Amino acid sequence: TFLDGGDAALEKYFFAFVESHSVSIGPSFWSRSGHGFSLRYFGGYQRFAELVRTGFAHTLSAGEEFRLTETLSLAIAQSASLTQAGRAYDRFGFSLGTFVSWAPHPRWVLAARGTLQYEDYHDSMGYFADAGRRVDWPYVAQGEVEFALGDGFSLGAFGGVSGRVSSIETLDYDKWEAG
């Protein structure tokens, strides 16, 4: 992924995003029984106009998919990450995610997914004055229903919540989505 932005923000203290370059590589293996395993490395560089958050991100992840029955599958993924972005945004983290898919009929698929992440900013002060930012817990939970229309097309609905629980109270949020 290569995304190049423009000049710094027009507003004096606005934290403008300027550019991001990243790569994700790794193998996936599948068996005839429907069992799958993947290993991924993600490396990225982001540059922001205010420079404090500029840095490198590294993530190593592994995932497995299991076909529990002919119509039910389960995927589990784990990752470990390290971001080097100046004292204010240096962090390491771990995540655990799952995805369950059930097809009670050849045209219908019901799915649920969830991810919980741990981010440790190890005493980052940054922009938070006296408040030291220690730990954030980003999360996602979502459910969806899909109906196959045929020839690779499907129609679906989803709903869920994502958010963050942070040691800095003003960074806590919940975002509800449906579509």
Side-chain angles (χ1 to χ4, degrees):
T1 304
F2 299 98
L3 179 61
D4 292 315
D7 296 327
L10 299 176
E11 296 177 36
K12 187 174 181 182
Y13 296 107
F14 186 69
F15 301 148
F17 168 79
V18 178
E19 69 182 77
S20 176
H21 302 251
S22 61
V23 63
S24 178
I25 57 173
S28 294
F29 304 96
W30 295 94
S31 70
R32 290 182 184 181
S33 65
H35 181 256
F37 177 78
S38 63
L39 185 64
R40 292 277 181 270
Y41 166 77
F42 167 87
Y45 168 77
Q46 291 184 328
R47 183 172 67 88
F48 291 83
E50 86 281 4
L51 300 178
V52 178
R53 290 183 288 176
T54 295
F56 295 91
H58 309 277
T59 302
L60 185 61
S61 61
E64 282 192 88
E65 183 171 337
F66 306 92
R67 182 158 306 278
L68 303 175
T69 68
E70 188 64 31
T71 60
L72 182 65
S73 66
L74 169 69
I76 300 173
Q78 312 93 78
S79 71
S81 62
L82 172 66
T83 301
Q84 302 161 295
R87 191 171 192 292
Y89 290 93
D90 280 350
R91 62 192 178 276
F92 64 87
F94 306 96
S95 72
L96 178 63
T98 187
F99 177 80
V100 178
S101 175
W102 178 49
H105 183 275
R107 289 192 171 272
W108 287 96
V109 175
L110 303 167
R113 70 182 81 225
T115 302
L116 180 62
Q117 188 172 342
Y118 169 82
E119 292 182 342
D120 191 317
Y121 284 77
H122 43 268
D123 291 327
S124 171
M125 295 303 281
Y127 300 108
F128 307 111
D130 295 334
R133 185 177 188 178
R134 287 285 303 148
V135 174
D136 282 5
W137 292 90
Y139 63 90
V140 175
Q142 181 175 312
E144 59 189 64
V145 176
E146 287 186 14
F147 176 74
L149 300 174
D151 295 332
F153 292 94
S154 61
L155 180 65
F158 73 93
V161 62
S162 62
R164 174 183 302 270
V165 176
S166 177
S167 56
I168 304 291
E169 188 176 335
T170 57
L171 297 178
D172 288 354
Y173 74 92
D174 297 307
K175 179 175 74 172
W176 294 88
E177 293 181 307

